[in-house]
Amino acid sequence: MDIEVRAYGFPWTEGIFRDCIRVGYCCWCYEVNGVIHGYGVMSVAAGESHILNLSVRPDSQRQGVGTKLMKHFLQLARRHNADTVMLEVRPSNTPAIRLYEKLGFNEIGVRRKYYPADGGQREDALLLALSLVH
Ligand SMILES: CC(C)(COP(=O)(O)OP(=O)(O)OC[C@H]1O[C@@H](n2cnc3c(N)ncnc32)[C@H](O)[C@@H]1OP(=O)(O)O)[C@@H](O)C(=O)NCCC(=O)NCCS
């Protein structure tokens, strides 16, 4: 939660994380010597995986942690026989978009007014996907 509240203007609540763990989503931390540097959450259902959260603590960013977590999730998705991995990202989130594009994700659509934004507004989400079928 310490990382989550620093990483996002509209962070997940502890209840959302607890629900994800309870329903059996893939919930992973990247930990070194007892320090959590990043984490992510992915659901897998009906051949489709969905990355729901990916966060790296501010002082550990740009050191490959996000890439390591994402590669781990892609491996898990393959192991669960998923054909596709999807995720949403704010169009303003250049670091995340660059990371996902480097891993081969493509933009496949826009979800209008998906995210909460300042002043009670909503922001669109880009929908990105990566095919695991070759
Ligand atoms: C997005 C995020 C997970 C990236 O994690 P990270 O560990 O810093 O990423 P990596 O070090 O693996 O970077 C991989 C590539 O992503 C891109 N990237 C990462 N941070 C970037 C930045 N600040 N500016 C531009 N590109 C960036 C680069 O292409 C980078 O490769 P390079 O360092 O060789 O140039 C991290 O910035 C974060 O937690 N942000 C806040 C939470 C968030 O927005 N999560 C995503 C929600 S969809």
Side-chain angles (χ1 to χ4, degrees), residues 7-8 53-57 60-68 87-90 93-96 98-100 102 115:
Y8 298 102
N53 193 322
L54 179 79
S55 310
V56 175
R57 61 186 295 144
S60 303
Q61 289 177 7
R62 213 68 199 262
Q63 294 167 40
V65 176
T67 302
K68 279 199 181 97
L87 59 84
E88 283 87 13
V89 60
R90 288 182 193 259
N93 194 346
T94 307
R98 293 233 173 103
L99 164 62
Y100 301 140
K102 261 193 166 173
Y115 289 116

PDB file of all heavy atoms in Angstrom, residues 7-8 53-57 60-68 87-90 93-96 98-100 102 115, ligand 1:
ATOM      1  N   ALA A   7       2.467   5.695  -5.999  1.00  0.00           N
ATOM      2  CA  ALA A   7       2.561   5.494  -7.447  1.00  0.00           C
ATOM      3  C   ALA A   7       1.375   6.109  -8.207  1.00  0.00           C
ATOM      4  O   ALA A   7       1.514   6.452  -9.376  1.00  0.00           O
ATOM      5  CB  ALA A   7       2.672   4.001  -7.771  1.00  0.00           C
ATOM      6  N   TYR A   8       0.219   6.222  -7.543  1.00  0.00           N
ATOM      7  CA  TYR A   8      -0.993   6.622  -8.281  1.00  0.00           C
ATOM      8  C   TYR A   8      -1.736   7.761  -7.604  1.00  0.00           C
ATOM      9  O   TYR A   8      -1.829   7.805  -6.369  1.00  0.00           O
ATOM     10  CB  TYR A   8      -1.968   5.436  -8.363  1.00  0.00           C
ATOM     11  CG  TYR A   8      -1.418   4.246  -9.102  1.00  0.00           C
ATOM     12  CD1 TYR A   8      -0.945   3.144  -8.400  1.00  0.00           C
ATOM     13  CD2 TYR A   8      -1.371   4.212 -10.490  1.00  0.00           C
ATOM     14  CE1 TYR A   8      -0.436   2.034  -9.064  1.00  0.00           C
ATOM     15  CE2 TYR A   8      -0.869   3.118 -11.163  1.00  0.00           C
ATOM     16  CZ  TYR A   8      -0.401   2.028 -10.446  1.00  0.00           C
ATOM     17  OH  TYR A   8       0.103   0.948 -11.113  1.00  0.00           O
ATOM     18  N   ASN A  53      -2.694  -4.639 -12.404  1.00  0.00           N
ATOM     19  CA  ASN A  53      -1.886  -3.668 -11.671  1.00  0.00           C
ATOM     20  C   ASN A  53      -0.408  -3.994 -11.902  1.00  0.00           C
ATOM     21  O   ASN A  53      -0.051  -5.175 -11.967  1.00  0.00           O
ATOM     22  CB  ASN A  53      -2.204  -3.748 -10.168  1.00  0.00           C
ATOM     23  CG  ASN A  53      -1.640  -2.578  -9.370  1.00  0.00           C
ATOM     24  OD1 ASN A  53      -0.547  -2.101  -9.638  1.00  0.00           O
ATOM     25  ND2 ASN A  53      -2.400  -2.122  -8.380  1.00  0.00           N
ATOM     26  N   LEU A  54       0.404  -2.965 -12.062  1.00  0.00           N
ATOM     27  CA  LEU A  54       1.857  -3.137 -12.153  1.00  0.00           C
ATOM     28  C   LEU A  54       2.466  -1.874 -11.564  1.00  0.00           C
ATOM     29  O   LEU A  54       2.210  -0.777 -12.068  1.00  0.00           O
ATOM     30  CB  LEU A  54       2.316  -3.306 -13.606  1.00  0.00           C
ATOM     31  CG  LEU A  54       3.834  -3.473 -13.744  1.00  0.00           C
ATOM     32  CD1 LEU A  54       4.247  -4.910 -13.412  1.00  0.00           C
ATOM     33  CD2 LEU A  54       4.316  -3.117 -15.132  1.00  0.00           C
ATOM     34  N   SER A  55       3.223  -2.028 -10.506  1.00  0.00           N
ATOM     35  CA  SER A  55       3.763  -0.853  -9.825  1.00  0.00           C
ATOM     36  C   SER A  55       5.163  -1.118  -9.310  1.00  0.00           C
ATOM     37  O   SER A  55       5.432  -2.179  -8.756  1.00  0.00           O
ATOM     38  CB  SER A  55       2.876  -0.467  -8.627  1.00  0.00           C
ATOM     39  OG  SER A  55       1.528  -0.396  -9.018  1.00  0.00           O
ATOM     40  N   VAL A  56       6.027  -0.124  -9.470  1.00  0.00           N
ATOM     41  CA  VAL A  56       7.412  -0.208  -8.998  1.00  0.00           C
ATOM     42  C   VAL A  56       7.647   0.983  -8.067  1.00  0.00           C
ATOM     43  O   VAL A  56       7.220   2.106  -8.379  1.00  0.00           O
ATOM     44  CB  VAL A  56       8.399  -0.176 -10.177  1.00  0.00           C
ATOM     45  CG1 VAL A  56       9.844  -0.141  -9.694  1.00  0.00           C
ATOM     46  CG2 VAL A  56       8.168  -1.392 -11.084  1.00  0.00           C
ATOM     47  N   ARG A  57       8.292   0.732  -6.916  1.00  0.00           N
ATOM     48  CA  ARG A  57       8.484   1.826  -5.960  1.00  0.00           C
ATOM     49  C   ARG A  57       9.335   2.925  -6.622  1.00  0.00           C
ATOM     50  O   ARG A  57      10.258   2.635  -7.394  1.00  0.00           O
ATOM     51  CB  ARG A  57       9.086   1.345  -4.646  1.00  0.00           C
ATOM     52  CG  ARG A  57      10.443   0.712  -4.760  1.00  0.00           C
ATOM     53  CD  ARG A  57      10.910   0.125  -3.445  1.00  0.00           C
ATOM     54  NE  ARG A  57      11.118   1.164  -2.459  1.00  0.00           N
ATOM     55  CZ  ARG A  57      10.842   1.016  -1.162  1.00  0.00           C
ATOM     56  NH1 ARG A  57      10.344  -0.123  -0.708  1.00  0.00           N
ATOM     57  NH2 ARG A  57      11.086   1.968  -0.311  1.00  0.00           N
ATOM     58  N   SER A  60      13.043   2.710  -7.120  1.00  0.00           N
ATOM     59  CA  SER A  60      13.544   1.511  -7.818  1.00  0.00           C
ATOM     60  C   SER A  60      13.173   1.516  -9.295  1.00  0.00           C
ATOM     61  O   SER A  60      13.420   0.541 -10.005  1.00  0.00           O
ATOM     62  CB  SER A  60      12.977   0.242  -7.164  1.00  0.00           C
ATOM     63  OG  SER A  60      13.291   0.193  -5.803  1.00  0.00           O
ATOM     64  N   GLN A  61      12.549   2.611  -9.740  1.00  0.00           N
ATOM     65  CA  GLN A  61      12.115   2.647 -11.141  1.00  0.00           C
ATOM     66  C   GLN A  61      13.292   2.813 -12.087  1.00  0.00           C
ATOM     67  O   GLN A  61      14.358   3.257 -11.700  1.00  0.00           O
ATOM     68  CB  GLN A  61      11.103   3.790 -11.349  1.00  0.00           C
ATOM     69  CG  GLN A  61       9.764   3.477 -10.693  1.00  0.00           C
ATOM     70  CD  GLN A  61       8.742   4.583 -10.805  1.00  0.00           C
ATOM     71  OE1 GLN A  61       8.956   5.574 -11.486  1.00  0.00           O
ATOM     72  NE2 GLN A  61       7.621   4.416 -10.134  1.00  0.00           N
ATOM     73  N   ARG A  62      13.073   2.415 -13.334  1.00  0.00           N
ATOM     74  CA  ARG A  62      14.057   2.536 -14.413  1.00  0.00           C
ATOM     75  C   ARG A  62      15.284   1.659 -14.163  1.00  0.00           C
ATOM     76  O   ARG A  62      16.368   1.967 -14.577  1.00  0.00           O
ATOM     77  CB  ARG A  62      14.465   3.998 -14.546  1.00  0.00           C
ATOM     78  CG  ARG A  62      14.798   4.439 -15.979  1.00  0.00           C
ATOM     79  CD  ARG A  62      13.618   4.448 -16.855  1.00  0.00           C
ATOM     80  NE  ARG A  62      13.905   4.424 -18.257  1.00  0.00           N
ATOM     81  CZ  ARG A  62      13.929   5.487 -19.056  1.00  0.00           C
ATOM     82  NH1 ARG A  62      13.684   6.670 -18.582  1.00  0.00           N
ATOM     83  NH2 ARG A  62      14.170   5.334 -20.336  1.00  0.00           N
ATOM     84  N   GLN A  63      15.055   0.549 -13.416  1.00  0.00           N
ATOM     85  CA  GLN A  63      16.150  -0.389 -13.159  1.00  0.00           C
ATOM     86  C   GLN A  63      15.765  -1.794 -13.613  1.00  0.00           C
ATOM     87  O   GLN A  63      16.345  -2.779 -13.161  1.00  0.00           O
ATOM     88  CB  GLN A  63      16.513  -0.393 -11.670  1.00  0.00           C
ATOM     89  CG  GLN A  63      17.089   0.920 -11.177  1.00  0.00           C
ATOM     90  CD  GLN A  63      17.144   1.017  -9.656  1.00  0.00           C
ATOM     91  OE1 GLN A  63      17.467   0.065  -8.976  1.00  0.00           O
ATOM     92  NE2 GLN A  63      16.802   2.187  -9.137  1.00  0.00           N
ATOM     93  N   GLY A  64      14.726  -1.876 -14.421  1.00  0.00           N
ATOM     94  CA  GLY A  64      14.347  -3.168 -14.980  1.00  0.00           C
ATOM     95  C   GLY A  64      13.354  -3.975 -14.165  1.00  0.00           C
ATOM     96  O   GLY A  64      12.989  -5.078 -14.563  1.00  0.00           O
ATOM     97  N   VAL A  65      12.878  -3.433 -13.041  1.00  0.00           N
ATOM     98  CA  VAL A  65      11.955  -4.204 -12.189  1.00  0.00           C
ATOM     99  C   VAL A  65      10.617  -4.423 -12.894  1.00  0.00           C
ATOM    100  O   VAL A  65      10.072  -5.539 -12.904  1.00  0.00           O
ATOM    101  CB  VAL A  65      11.744  -3.501 -10.819  1.00  0.00           C
ATOM    102  CG1 VAL A  65      10.719  -4.257  -9.981  1.00  0.00           C
ATOM    103  CG2 VAL A  65      13.061  -3.386 -10.074  1.00  0.00           C
ATOM    104  N   GLY A  66      10.095  -3.358 -13.503  1.00  0.00           N
ATOM    105  CA  GLY A  66       8.821  -3.490 -14.222  1.00  0.00           C
ATOM    106  C   GLY A  66       8.916  -4.516 -15.335  1.00  0.00           C
ATOM    107  O   GLY A  66       8.010  -5.330 -15.527  1.00  0.00           O
ATOM    108  N   THR A  67      10.024  -4.498 -16.058  1.00  0.00           N
ATOM    109  CA  THR A  67      10.225  -5.459 -17.150  1.00  0.00           C
ATOM    110  C   THR A  67      10.262  -6.888 -16.597  1.00  0.00           C
ATOM    111  O   THR A  67       9.627  -7.789 -17.152  1.00  0.00           O
ATOM    112  CB  THR A  67      11.548  -5.157 -17.894  1.00  0.00           C
ATOM    113  OG1 THR A  67      11.478  -3.821 -18.375  1.00  0.00           O
ATOM    114  CG2 THR A  67      11.760  -6.103 -19.057  1.00  0.00           C
ATOM    115  N   LYS A  68      10.992  -7.078 -15.489  1.00  0.00           N
ATOM    116  CA  LYS A  68      11.089  -8.426 -14.888  1.00  0.00           C
ATOM    117  C   LYS A  68       9.716  -8.928 -14.470  1.00  0.00           C
ATOM    118  O   LYS A  68       9.351 -10.070 -14.732  1.00  0.00           O
ATOM    119  CB  LYS A  68      11.992  -8.390 -13.642  1.00  0.00           C
ATOM    120  CG  LYS A  68      13.465  -8.422 -13.935  1.00  0.00           C
ATOM    121  CD  LYS A  68      14.232  -8.847 -12.678  1.00  0.00           C
ATOM    122  CE  LYS A  68      15.715  -8.845 -12.957  1.00  0.00           C
ATOM    123  NZ  LYS A  68      16.391  -7.608 -12.531  1.00  0.00           N
ATOM    124  N   LEU A  87      -4.290  -5.245 -21.187  1.00  0.00           N
ATOM    125  CA  LEU A  87      -4.163  -4.305 -20.066  1.00  0.00           C
ATOM    126  C   LEU A  87      -4.655  -2.935 -20.485  1.00  0.00           C
ATOM    127  O   LEU A  87      -4.724  -2.626 -21.678  1.00  0.00           O
ATOM    128  CB  LEU A  87      -2.718  -4.244 -19.566  1.00  0.00           C
ATOM    129  CG  LEU A  87      -1.625  -3.819 -20.542  1.00  0.00           C
ATOM    130  CD1 LEU A  87      -1.495  -2.306 -20.647  1.00  0.00           C
ATOM    131  CD2 LEU A  87      -0.295  -4.401 -20.123  1.00  0.00           C
ATOM    132  N   GLU A  88      -5.029  -2.135 -19.504  1.00  0.00           N
ATOM    133  CA  GLU A  88      -5.406  -0.749 -19.754  1.00  0.00           C
ATOM    134  C   GLU A  88      -4.314   0.163 -19.224  1.00  0.00           C
ATOM    135  O   GLU A  88      -3.665  -0.173 -18.224  1.00  0.00           O
ATOM    136  CB  GLU A  88      -6.710  -0.369 -19.025  1.00  0.00           C
ATOM    137  CG  GLU A  88      -7.956  -0.888 -19.676  1.00  0.00           C
ATOM    138  CD  GLU A  88      -8.298  -2.299 -19.211  1.00  0.00           C
ATOM    139  OE1 GLU A  88      -7.699  -2.746 -18.210  1.00  0.00           O
ATOM    140  OE2 GLU A  88      -9.144  -2.947 -19.851  1.00  0.00           O
ATOM    141  N   VAL A  89      -4.124   1.299 -19.888  1.00  0.00           N
ATOM    142  CA  VAL A  89      -3.142   2.276 -19.431  1.00  0.00           C
ATOM    143  C   VAL A  89      -3.642   3.678 -19.772  1.00  0.00           C
ATOM    144  O   VAL A  89      -4.296   3.871 -20.809  1.00  0.00           O
ATOM    145  CB  VAL A  89      -1.748   1.976 -20.059  1.00  0.00           C
ATOM    146  CG1 VAL A  89      -1.765   2.026 -21.578  1.00  0.00           C
ATOM    147  CG2 VAL A  89      -0.671   2.905 -19.511  1.00  0.00           C
ATOM    148  N   ARG A  90      -3.335   4.625 -18.887  1.00  0.00           N
ATOM    149  CA  ARG A  90      -3.716   6.007 -19.183  1.00  0.00           C
ATOM    150  C   ARG A  90      -2.877   6.524 -20.359  1.00  0.00           C
ATOM    151  O   ARG A  90      -1.658   6.316 -20.366  1.00  0.00           O
ATOM    152  CB  ARG A  90      -3.458   6.909 -17.966  1.00  0.00           C
ATOM    153  CG  ARG A  90      -4.416   6.696 -16.821  1.00  0.00           C
ATOM    154  CD  ARG A  90      -4.111   7.660 -15.691  1.00  0.00           C
ATOM    155  NE  ARG A  90      -4.818   7.274 -14.473  1.00  0.00           N
ATOM    156  CZ  ARG A  90      -5.941   7.848 -14.023  1.00  0.00           C
ATOM    157  NH1 ARG A  90      -6.467   8.850 -14.687  1.00  0.00           N
ATOM    158  NH2 ARG A  90      -6.520   7.429 -12.917  1.00  0.00           N
ATOM    159  N   ASN A  93       0.387   8.129 -19.505  1.00  0.00           N
ATOM    160  CA  ASN A  93       1.413   7.365 -18.775  1.00  0.00           C
ATOM    161  C   ASN A  93       2.507   6.861 -19.731  1.00  0.00           C
ATOM    162  O   ASN A  93       2.615   5.675 -20.035  1.00  0.00           O
ATOM    163  CB  ASN A  93       0.750   6.197 -18.039  1.00  0.00           C
ATOM    164  CG  ASN A  93       1.679   5.580 -16.996  1.00  0.00           C
ATOM    165  OD1 ASN A  93       2.877   5.842 -16.996  1.00  0.00           O
ATOM    166  ND2 ASN A  93       1.117   4.771 -16.123  1.00  0.00           N
ATOM    167  N   THR A  94       3.331   7.820 -20.193  1.00  0.00           N
ATOM    168  CA  THR A  94       4.377   7.475 -21.177  1.00  0.00           C
ATOM    169  C   THR A  94       5.325   6.369 -20.691  1.00  0.00           C
ATOM    170  O   THR A  94       5.623   5.454 -21.467  1.00  0.00           O
ATOM    171  CB  THR A  94       5.177   8.743 -21.552  1.00  0.00           C
ATOM    172  OG1 THR A  94       4.237   9.732 -21.945  1.00  0.00           O
ATOM    173  CG2 THR A  94       6.133   8.487 -22.687  1.00  0.00           C
ATOM    174  N   PRO A  95       5.840   6.416 -19.453  1.00  0.00           N
ATOM    175  CA  PRO A  95       6.750   5.340 -19.025  1.00  0.00           C
ATOM    176  C   PRO A  95       6.133   3.954 -19.192  1.00  0.00           C
ATOM    177  O   PRO A  95       6.770   3.037 -19.736  1.00  0.00           O
ATOM    178  CB  PRO A  95       7.007   5.651 -17.545  1.00  0.00           C
ATOM    179  CG  PRO A  95       6.781   7.120 -17.411  1.00  0.00           C
ATOM    180  CD  PRO A  95       5.696   7.449 -18.397  1.00  0.00           C
ATOM    181  N   ALA A  96       4.888   3.810 -18.752  1.00  0.00           N
ATOM    182  CA  ALA A  96       4.239   2.491 -18.837  1.00  0.00           C
ATOM    183  C   ALA A  96       4.000   2.092 -20.300  1.00  0.00           C
ATOM    184  O   ALA A  96       4.266   0.949 -20.689  1.00  0.00           O
ATOM    185  CB  ALA A  96       2.918   2.511 -18.065  1.00  0.00           C
ATOM    186  N   ARG A  98       5.689   2.958 -22.929  1.00  0.00           N
ATOM    187  CA  ARG A  98       6.983   2.553 -23.522  1.00  0.00           C
ATOM    188  C   ARG A  98       7.349   1.139 -23.097  1.00  0.00           C
ATOM    189  O   ARG A  98       7.790   0.326 -23.909  1.00  0.00           O
ATOM    190  CB  ARG A  98       8.090   3.508 -23.068  1.00  0.00           C
ATOM    191  CG  ARG A  98       7.918   4.883 -23.622  1.00  0.00           C
ATOM    192  CD  ARG A  98       9.212   5.347 -24.330  1.00  0.00           C
ATOM    193  NE  ARG A  98       8.959   6.614 -24.994  1.00  0.00           N
ATOM    194  CZ  ARG A  98       9.356   7.791 -24.542  1.00  0.00           C
ATOM    195  NH1 ARG A  98      10.066   7.870 -23.434  1.00  0.00           N
ATOM    196  NH2 ARG A  98       9.071   8.895 -25.205  1.00  0.00           N
ATOM    197  N   LEU A  99       7.179   0.843 -21.817  1.00  0.00           N
ATOM    198  CA  LEU A  99       7.498  -0.500 -21.301  1.00  0.00           C
ATOM    199  C   LEU A  99       6.666  -1.552 -22.022  1.00  0.00           C
ATOM    200  O   LEU A  99       7.191  -2.559 -22.513  1.00  0.00           O
ATOM    201  CB  LEU A  99       7.233  -0.550 -19.786  1.00  0.00           C
ATOM    202  CG  LEU A  99       7.126  -1.919 -19.108  1.00  0.00           C
ATOM    203  CD1 LEU A  99       8.436  -2.687 -19.229  1.00  0.00           C
ATOM    204  CD2 LEU A  99       6.780  -1.755 -17.636  1.00  0.00           C
ATOM    205  N   TYR A 100       5.357  -1.316 -22.136  1.00  0.00           N
ATOM    206  CA  TYR A 100       4.476  -2.318 -22.755  1.00  0.00           C
ATOM    207  C   TYR A 100       4.799  -2.477 -24.248  1.00  0.00           C
ATOM    208  O   TYR A 100       4.793  -3.593 -24.766  1.00  0.00           O
ATOM    209  CB  TYR A 100       3.002  -1.939 -22.559  1.00  0.00           C
ATOM    210  CG  TYR A 100       2.593  -1.812 -21.101  1.00  0.00           C
ATOM    211  CD1 TYR A 100       1.733  -0.803 -20.673  1.00  0.00           C
ATOM    212  CD2 TYR A 100       3.077  -2.708 -20.150  1.00  0.00           C
ATOM    213  CE1 TYR A 100       1.376  -0.683 -19.337  1.00  0.00           C
ATOM    214  CE2 TYR A 100       2.719  -2.585 -18.811  1.00  0.00           C
ATOM    215  CZ  TYR A 100       1.869  -1.572 -18.413  1.00  0.00           C
ATOM    216  OH  TYR A 100       1.522  -1.457 -17.096  1.00  0.00           O
ATOM    217  N   LYS A 102       7.671  -2.010 -25.674  1.00  0.00           N
ATOM    218  CA  LYS A 102       8.948  -2.740 -25.767  1.00  0.00           C
ATOM    219  C   LYS A 102       8.728  -4.248 -25.670  1.00  0.00           C
ATOM    220  O   LYS A 102       9.466  -5.034 -26.245  1.00  0.00           O
ATOM    221  CB  LYS A 102       9.875  -2.321 -24.624  1.00  0.00           C
ATOM    222  CG  LYS A 102      10.892  -1.305 -25.006  1.00  0.00           C
ATOM    223  CD  LYS A 102      11.961  -1.188 -23.939  1.00  0.00           C
ATOM    224  CE  LYS A 102      13.151  -0.423 -24.490  1.00  0.00           C
ATOM    225  NZ  LYS A 102      14.143  -0.145 -23.448  1.00  0.00           N
ATOM    226  N   TYR A 115     -10.948   5.789 -16.388  1.00  0.00           N
ATOM    227  CA  TYR A 115     -10.256   6.081 -15.126  1.00  0.00           C
ATOM    228  C   TYR A 115     -10.824   7.330 -14.463  1.00  0.00           C
ATOM    229  O   TYR A 115     -11.164   8.305 -15.137  1.00  0.00           O
ATOM    230  CB  TYR A 115      -8.778   6.382 -15.396  1.00  0.00           C
ATOM    231  CG  TYR A 115      -7.940   5.216 -15.815  1.00  0.00           C
ATOM    232  CD1 TYR A 115      -7.358   5.187 -17.087  1.00  0.00           C
ATOM    233  CD2 TYR A 115      -7.678   4.162 -14.946  1.00  0.00           C
ATOM    234  CE1 TYR A 115      -6.543   4.132 -17.475  1.00  0.00           C
ATOM    235  CE2 TYR A 115      -6.868   3.101 -15.335  1.00  0.00           C
ATOM    236  CZ  TYR A 115      -6.305   3.099 -16.593  1.00  0.00           C
ATOM    237  OH  TYR A 115      -5.501   2.067 -16.975  1.00  0.00           O
TER     238      TYR A 115
HETATM  239  C1  LIG B   1       5.511   1.989 -15.411  1.00  0.00           C
HETATM  240  C2  LIG B   1       6.458   1.318 -14.417  1.00  0.00           C
HETATM  241  C3  LIG B   1       5.807   0.064 -13.852  1.00  0.00           C
HETATM  242  C4  LIG B   1       7.764   0.958 -15.142  1.00  0.00           C
HETATM  243  O1  LIG B   1       8.586   0.207 -14.254  1.00  0.00           O
HETATM  244  P1  LIG B   1      10.186   0.306 -14.285  1.00  0.00           P
HETATM  245  O2  LIG B   1      10.729  -0.725 -13.376  1.00  0.00           O
HETATM  246  O3  LIG B   1      10.594   1.710 -14.016  1.00  0.00           O
HETATM  247  O4  LIG B   1      10.466  -0.046 -15.813  1.00  0.00           O
HETATM  248  P2  LIG B   1      11.807  -0.644 -16.451  1.00  0.00           P
HETATM  249  O5  LIG B   1      13.007  -0.141 -15.676  1.00  0.00           O
HETATM  250  O6  LIG B   1      11.666  -2.099 -16.595  1.00  0.00           O
HETATM  251  O7  LIG B   1      11.793   0.098 -17.861  1.00  0.00           O
HETATM  252  C5  LIG B   1      11.559  -0.586 -19.076  1.00  0.00           C
HETATM  253  C6  LIG B   1      11.370   0.420 -20.188  1.00  0.00           C
HETATM  254  O8  LIG B   1      10.186   1.194 -19.971  1.00  0.00           O
HETATM  255  C7  LIG B   1      10.389   2.541 -20.435  1.00  0.00           C
HETATM  256  N1  LIG B   1      10.373   3.473 -19.293  1.00  0.00           N
HETATM  257  C8  LIG B   1      10.326   3.168 -17.976  1.00  0.00           C
HETATM  258  N2  LIG B   1      10.301   4.298 -17.237  1.00  0.00           N
HETATM  259  C9  LIG B   1      10.325   5.335 -18.107  1.00  0.00           C
HETATM  260  C10 LIG B   1      10.311   6.751 -17.948  1.00  0.00           C
HETATM  261  N3  LIG B   1      10.251   7.328 -16.734  1.00  0.00           N
HETATM  262  N4  LIG B   1      10.309   7.513 -19.063  1.00  0.00           N
HETATM  263  C11 LIG B   1      10.347   6.950 -20.294  1.00  0.00           C
HETATM  264  N5  LIG B   1      10.389   5.592 -20.509  1.00  0.00           N
HETATM  265  C12 LIG B   1      10.366   4.810 -19.424  1.00  0.00           C
HETATM  266  C13 LIG B   1      11.765   2.565 -21.068  1.00  0.00           C
HETATM  267  O9  LIG B   1      11.592   2.213 -22.430  1.00  0.00           O
HETATM  268  C14 LIG B   1      12.460   1.453 -20.307  1.00  0.00           C
HETATM  269  O10 LIG B   1      13.546   0.901 -20.979  1.00  0.00           O
HETATM  270  P3  LIG B   1      14.997   1.635 -20.855  1.00  0.00           P
HETATM  271  O11 LIG B   1      15.225   1.932 -19.404  1.00  0.00           O
HETATM  272  O12 LIG B   1      15.947   0.604 -21.417  1.00  0.00           O
HETATM  273  O13 LIG B   1      14.896   2.867 -21.683  1.00  0.00           O
HETATM  274  C15 LIG B   1       6.824   2.316 -13.267  1.00  0.00           C
HETATM  275  O14 LIG B   1       7.222   3.543 -13.842  1.00  0.00           O
HETATM  276  C16 LIG B   1       5.701   2.575 -12.291  1.00  0.00           C
HETATM  277  O15 LIG B   1       5.502   1.826 -11.324  1.00  0.00           O
HETATM  278  N6  LIG B   1       4.944   3.671 -12.516  1.00  0.00           N
HETATM  279  C17 LIG B   1       3.865   4.040 -11.604  1.00  0.00           C
HETATM  280  C18 LIG B   1       2.716   3.057 -11.662  1.00  0.00           C
HETATM  281  C19 LIG B   1       2.180   2.881 -13.068  1.00  0.00           C
HETATM  282  O16 LIG B   1       1.948   3.839 -13.789  1.00  0.00           O
HETATM  283  N7  LIG B   1       1.974   1.614 -13.447  1.00  0.00           N
HETATM  284  C20 LIG B   1       1.450   1.234 -14.754  1.00  0.00           C
HETATM  285  C21 LIG B   1      -0.031   1.328 -14.758  1.00  0.00           C
HETATM  286  S1  LIG B   1      -0.719   0.839 -16.321  1.00  0.00           S
END
